[in-house]
Amino acid sequence: MALADVARAFGSAARHYDSRAHLQQQVADWLLEAAPAKVNTALDLGCGTGYCLARLNADKRFGLDISRAMLLEARQKAPGSAFIQADAQHLPLATGSVDLLVSSLALQWCGDLSLALGEVGRVLAPGGQALLTVPLAGSLTELASAWGKSQGHLLAMPDENNLAAMLPTGARLKVKDFVVHFDDLTALRQSLKGIGAHHVPGRAQGLTGKARYRQFVAAIEAKRTPLGLPLTYRIGLISWQNAFL
């Protein structure tokens, strides 16, 4: 998906994003457990509505996002922060200017993840810390089995081993599975828009399409538990500290 399309999609969803962002908030809380108690300068890369940004303890906080509408929402949640509308692959920040950089479930939107990781390393100050979460291959297994991986409805997520190979020496990758439950398929579909899945199929047209869609719905419903329809996300938490010069 082109970056302009990503910005528009998140812009249109900004006002209602938090009500559907249960996974995003759980993952952000996991990331924040590893954050230092206090820093001078902190940057939230792909800050969205400011959930993570508002919880960073820093003298100077910056929120960066590609969506202007998301930044407007973040201003309400993280007053006193400065905001930048920009692409994570080309950060308009000075080299070595950030003591803490966090990014929660945003980098999967980058066309070139290695380029974005390089930018993270560039802007980190000597001794600075980066904490990044990304969805990994192995996520959304319920959808893959119900609809089929070949249907092209799921965003390609990085493989754990391939991601580890991109990381600088000394960086660590921790992996954790999160299971989120939904009352119905509509709620499940809406939640996917914020994580990077293109879409879950809606009602198909034609006899063949309708039959295939009914099979998909039946397969999803067969997985229902007392908590609702489950959806599993495999999340990687990257942490590294920039070397002192």
Side-chain angles (χ1 to χ4, degrees):
M1 185 182 290
L3 288 176
D5 295 330
V6 173
R8 281 193 294 271
F10 276 105
S12 64
R15 185 167 298 179
H16 307 289
Y17 182 85
D18 286 345
S19 65
R20 301 167 181 167
H22 305 300
L23 170 77
Q24 288 87 340
Q25 292 169 5
Q26 290 180 44
V27 173
D29 289 341
W30 182 43
L31 179 154
L32 290 168
E33 290 174 2
K38 178 71 181 294
V39 296
N40 180 32
T41 303
L43 170 68
D44 186 351
L45 183 57
C47 67
T49 61
Y51 179 88
C52 204
L53 179 64
R55 290 159 175 78
L56 298 177
N57 189 4
D59 295 326
K60 300 176 183 177
R61 297 185 305 193
F62 295 87
L64 184 147
D65 203 278
I66 198 170
S67 167
R68 181 174 180 274
M70 283 292 190
L71 293 175
L72 291 175
E73 292 291 323
R75 288 181 187 277
Q76 307 301 314
K77 292 184 175 60
S81 303
F83 295 92
I84 307 166
Q85 184 178 3
D87 172 8
Q89 299 166 112
H90 304 283
L91 297 178
L93 298 167
T95 297
S97 60
V98 177
D99 299 307
L100 172 65
L101 189 152
V102 302
S103 180
S104 192
L105 299 182
L107 294 182
Q108 71 270 17
W109 292 102
C110 295
D112 188 338
L113 181 56
S114 62
L115 180 60
L117 291 173
E119 281 289 87
V120 169
R122 180 184 67 79
V123 302
L124 274 182
Q129 184 177 3
L131 295 167
L132 320 167
T133 59
V134 292
L136 299 174
S139 297
L140 312 179
T141 54
E142 296 85 355
L143 291 181
S145 62
W147 189 251
K149 294 181 180 179
S150 64
Q151 299 299 322
H153 291 283
L154 305 180
L155 179 74
M157 298 178 185
D159 173 84
E160 182 177 336
N161 293 329
N162 291 340
L163 178 60
M166 297 181 193
L167 301 180
T169 302
R172 294 178 296 168
L173 176 63
K174 183 186 296 185
V175 178
K176 181 178 179 179
D177 287 341
F178 290 80
V179 182
V180 187
H181 294 84
F182 303 92
D183 292 336
D184 52 40
L185 186 56
T186 297
L188 184 152
R189 182 186 294 113
Q190 290 173 339
S191 75
L192 288 169
K193 295 178 181 179
I195 194 65
H198 292 281
H199 64 285
V200 178
R203 296 187 180 278
Q205 302 299 314
L207 294 176
T208 302
K210 289 180 179 179
R212 181 70 186 89
Y213 180 74
R214 285 196 296 270
Q215 292 172 0
F216 165 74
V217 172
I220 286 291
E221 285 293 338
K223 303 177 187 298
R224 182 180 288 275
T225 74
L227 296 176
L229 298 176
L231 200 55
T232 301
Y233 289 90
R234 192 161 180 78
I235 306 297
L237 171 60
I238 301 163
S239 59
W240 89 69
Q241 187 170 25
N242 199 23
F244 286 94
L245 296 179

